[in-house]
Amino acid sequence: MKNEAIYRKSAIFAKLSAGEPCLWRNPAFDPDPATLQDLPLSMTHVVEAEQRLQKFAPLLESLFPELAPSGGIIESRLLPAPDLKEKLPANGAKIDGKLWIKADHDLPVAGSVKARGGVYEVLCFAEELAVAHGLLVPGGDYRDLASPEARELFGKYTVSVGSTGNLGLSIGLIAAALGFQACVHMSVEAKQWKKDRLRRNGVHVIEHDDDYSRAVAAGRASAESDPCGYFVDDENSERLFSGYSVAALRLRQQLQQENVRVDEEHPLFVYLPCGVGGAPGGITFGLRHVFGSAVHCFFAEPVEAPCMLLTLASASEDDLSVYDVGLRVDTEADGLAVARASKFVAQMIQSSVSGVFTVKDERLFRDLYLLEKMEGIRIEPSAAAGFSGPELLCNDPEGRRYIEDHKLEKKMSQANHILWTTGGSFVPAEEYKKFHELGKKLQKQCNS
Ligand SMILES: *Cc1c(COP(=O)(O)O)cnc(C)c1O
């Protein structure tokens, strides 16, 4: 058994080094939700986060006019995608079951999946300060946090974060809206427009000529030396993780509204783009609590940055980065351009994630273009990472093996697949045009 495990590990490392797309089944995946009981966070954290966000909703509605229709709740739509389902698979592959899009590219306030977690963590900090200074009493009105007294208090504190772009946008925009000083440490892949947008909102942007882990480390160090500093630690934050997890409660409600059943006879497959792991990890954690063994979560990473696959496949022992297997994080998927996964997240999801697959940049642009063509939706390249998931599951030998192992063969026609589109609504038109042109070219090549 041990030999087989070692063999499997070296085989997957060889595949990763070659930069070829692959699907990895997680040998530690345990469908039994009882495995969640030994973790440092529980369903209570998910529910608490949801309740806190409800209390803050009136405040958020007053700060962000775009939240008026939802009464201050930051949530995205669940959209059926039947036309995309027909066109999406390459090489004549087929997808069994129904296809959906969870439209986080359109999440208000931040335009990406980072909105739920990032906003939640800054709200936790604001609440903590306000309570400590007697500006908020239990059961009080959270709109008081927009009062001149509260803003003056928040203005003494600096909220900082390290980011490849979107987490910085989320944290920077909510922190600035509440009156905090905000400081974002951007890694080398961060897009210019993301930095520009933050600066226009009064956020201090520090550009690092280095990768994501280094940008985070720089942010952490400078916040530690500031007595009025608060650092949002993307690699270790329980608050971020809890904030992300509320998506599961919202998705359950949306599936019910669409009369979509999720149970042993109706499996739910969810495909989540993964960077350091927090967003897809928090969502997976929430979904496993909500749907138990009926949900199967797969993470998607660029072939050049499969950091979570590497960490999970090496059972976190070696603390490997993708540089160790000869990769360079050379990808246009800036949101996923991470060399080393979060160990905290890896531990939280080790037995909950069904598998991880990798995707080439060419495929990201082709899928981004197809989505626009078939469904009229515009996303950024990172957000297209999960799109090859359903066809890999239904056609690739590793995917077929997963279906067999979990006795899902007869249930696939009643399955639902959700592609999680994690970012894009803020992408400037001239920037999007480049994605579109490249995607169109690649789509033609794919068909010829
Ligand atoms: C950050 C991000 C992700 C992944 O989230 P992590 O918490 O880094 O794993 C996916 N898609 C987009 C667009 C992102 O910005």
Side-chain angles (χ1 to χ4, degrees):
M1 210 43 222
K2 180 128 200 251
N3 280 342
E4 204 219 296
I6 290 169
Y7 171 74
R8 276 185 55 158
K9 206 159 116 172
S10 54
I12 190 73
F13 285 6
K15 265 193 188 166
L16 292 183
S17 303
E20 282 307 310
C22 63
L23 169 63
W24 173 77
R25 287 176 296 113
N26 177 12
F29 172 67
D30 187 341
D32 185 354
T35 57
L36 295 166
Q37 278 163 14
D38 305 326
L39 297 171
L41 299 178
S42 67
M43 185 62 174
T44 313
H45 293 87
V46 184
V47 173
E48 247 177 45
E50 176 61 25
Q51 287 169 346
R52 181 170 281 110
L53 289 168
Q54 300 276 352
K55 286 194 275 187
F56 269 102
L59 173 71
L60 291 182
E61 190 180 347
S62 73
L63 292 175
F64 300 99
E66 71 260 41
L67 292 179
S70 64
I73 294 296
I74 298 173
E75 198 37 74
S76 70
R77 291 166 302 160
L78 176 68
L79 306 165
D83 297 337
L84 183 66
K85 179 189 148 172
E86 299 309 318
K87 293 278 187 261
L88 190 57
N91 307 321
K94 285 270 179 299
I95 299 171
D96 306 314
K98 270 200 181 135
L99 189 67
W100 300 83
I101 287 162
K102 180 62 179 146
D104 272 12
H105 64 278
D106 205 16
L107 217 44
V109 179
S112 83
V113 67
K114 301 299 191 312
R116 285 189 209 86
V119 169
Y120 179 69
E121 171 140 16
V122 176
L123 294 179
C124 287
F125 179 51
E127 181 186 49
E128 196 176 277
L129 282 177
V131 169
H133 289 79
L135 294 173
L136 187 66
V137 292
D141 188 337
Y142 278 65
R143 277 172 298 196
D144 292 349
L145 299 191
S147 68
E149 296 81 6
R151 292 187 74 85
E152 196 194 321
L153 170 69
F154 297 156
K156 293 178 186 150
Y157 290 83
T158 301
V159 175
S160 58
V161 66
S163 173
T164 63
N166 284 337
L167 184 63
L169 269 182
S170 169
I171 300 287
L173 296 176
I174 180 68
L178 287 166
F180 286 106
Q181 310 291 323
C183 177
V184 175
H185 293 261
M186 288 290 199
S187 65
V188 63
E189 40 285 296
K191 299 289 176 214
Q192 191 58 43
W193 68 265
K194 294 182 182 177
K195 302 180 217 174
D196 294 342
R197 187 170 181 131
L198 281 172
R199 288 186 173 126
R200 279 202 302 278
N201 281 275
V203 173
H204 185 47
V205 177
I206 299 175
E207 297 175 67
H208 293 272
D209 193 15
D210 220 328
D211 79 358
Y212 161 84
S213 306
R214 297 276 180 79
V216 171
R220 192 184 286 127
S222 76
E224 269 168 9
S225 63
D226 174 4
C228 288
Y230 181 88
F231 182 62
V232 176
D233 192 335
D234 198 13
E235 290 173 332
N236 299 295
S237 170
E238 293 187 356
R239 283 176 166 175
L240 263 182
F241 192 87
S242 304
Y244 289 132
S245 73
V246 302
L249 302 175
R250 277 81 177 277
L251 181 64
R252 171 168 63 187
Q253 207 177 8
Q254 290 176 324
L255 287 167
Q256 277 166 357
Q257 278 161 2
E258 298 285 343
N259 292 316
V260 174
R261 286 166 63 180
V262 180
D263 53 34
E264 294 308 320
E265 297 307 311
H266 301 80
L268 177 67
F269 296 92
V270 183
Y271 307 92
L272 297 152
C274 178
V276 72
I283 294 169
T284 296
F285 177 78
L287 288 173
R288 294 271 293 144
H289 272 291
V290 168
F291 295 118
S293 56
V295 70
H296 307 267
C297 299
F298 289 87
F299 288 5
E301 298 187 306
V303 289
E304 273 283 328
C307 62
M308 187 56 85
L309 200 170
L310 195 60
T311 296
L312 293 173
S314 59
S316 321
E317 294 147 13
D318 319 322
D319 194 19
L320 294 175
S321 85
V322 303
Y323 306 126
D324 297 322
V325 290
L327 299 170
R328 292 169 311 165
V329 197
D330 184 8
T331 173
E332 278 302 309
D334 50 325
L336 316 179
V338 176
R340 198 184 295 275
S342 160
K343 273 184 277 184
F344 160 66
V345 173
Q347 169 216 354
M348 293 295 293
I349 56 153
Q350 183 86 52
S351 67
S352 282
V353 66
S354 296
V356 185
F357 58 95
T358 58
V359 53
K360 283 191 175 180
D361 274 21
E362 288 83 2
R363 178 76 203 244
L364 299 179
F365 285 102
R366 179 257 190 192
D367 288 348
L368 168 152
Y369 172 75
L370 264 185
L371 180 66
E372 183 198 344
K373 199 169 144 184
M374 304 315 297
E375 313 289 336
I377 293 172
R378 297 179 169 208
I379 59 173
E380 60 185 271
S382 299
F387 281 45
S388 50
E391 75 198 63
L392 282 173
L393 179 76
C394 297
N395 302 272
D396 185 88
E398 289 299 308
R400 300 299 317 168
R401 176 84 190 272
Y402 183 89
I403 290 174
E404 279 163 34
D405 281 356
H406 297 281
K407 306 205 165 32
L408 297 166
E409 297 98 321
K410 295 208 175 69
K411 304 172 183 172
M412 289 310 288
S413 61
Q414 327 187 76
N416 287 282
H417 305 267
I418 299 184
L419 303 174
W420 213 285
T421 53
T422 45
S425 66
F426 285 3
V427 176
E430 64 276 21
E431 198 78 18
Y432 185 81
K433 196 156 178 279
K434 291 182 230 160
F435 302 160
H436 170 98
E437 294 302 331
L438 183 53
K440 190 171 174 179
K441 200 173 94 193
L442 291 164
Q443 160 70 2
K444 282 212 184 102
Q445 284 173 7
C446 206
N447 287 350
S448 62

